[in-house]
Amino acid sequence: GTPPLPAGTPPPFGGMEEVEESLSQARLAEYAPAFDDLGYDDLGFLLSMSQDRPLHHSLPTPVTAQAELSSVAEAVRMKPGHAQKFLKLLPATEAARRRFRGPPAWPDSVLPL
């Protein structure tokens, strides 16, 4: 799991707390431990996955958000109905986040491989 922060330290942007909150709002909190165990502990990164884009300039076909998010849902072993909800949750969360906070933590031009 994520180690606790020292008292009085604000949580880092995109920490597991945000992931848990988003999952809870969608009634998918049961998957939070699996997200944390598999390293999906940054909401900003997860939100960046909700946008279609080429993953690398050398790839001729863009990676679709649906495919990336489906792989996350499969990795955390979501039930099919929960996976469908998750696939709709992230793009909606990204749209809301852009309105209130600006772009996601991972700009399109700087993506991990």
Side-chain angles (χ1 to χ4, degrees), residues 10-92:
F13 175 76
M16 189 60 206
E17 295 80 13
E18 280 190 311
V19 174
E20 288 176 20
E21 182 180 329
S22 293
L23 290 170
S24 292
Q25 289 174 358
R27 296 178 39 186
L28 298 172
E30 67 191 85
Y31 299 104
F35 272 74
D36 195 23
D37 290 346
L38 295 174
Y40 294 114
D41 57 0
D42 184 324
L43 186 61
F45 177 71
L46 288 168
L47 292 175
S48 76
M49 295 173 76
S50 70
Q51 303 169 17
D52 291 346
R53 71 203 181 286
L55 194 58
H56 189 271
H57 65 83
S58 66
L59 297 177
T61 308
V63 175
T64 66
Q66 188 84 11
E68 278 195 297
L69 294 176
S70 291
S71 71
V72 173
E74 184 177 319
V76 299
R77 299 180 186 249
M78 282 189 178
K79 297 174 185 175
H82 291 171
Q84 289 177 352
K85 185 188 288 188
F86 174 71
L87 293 175
K88 291 184 183 292
L89 163 76
L90 258 324

Side-chain angles (χ1 to χ4, degrees), residues 96-109:
R97 186 180 192 145
R98 282 184 180 272
R99 282 195 303 275
F100 295 107
R101 293 190 183 170
W106 294 92
D108 290 344
S109 61

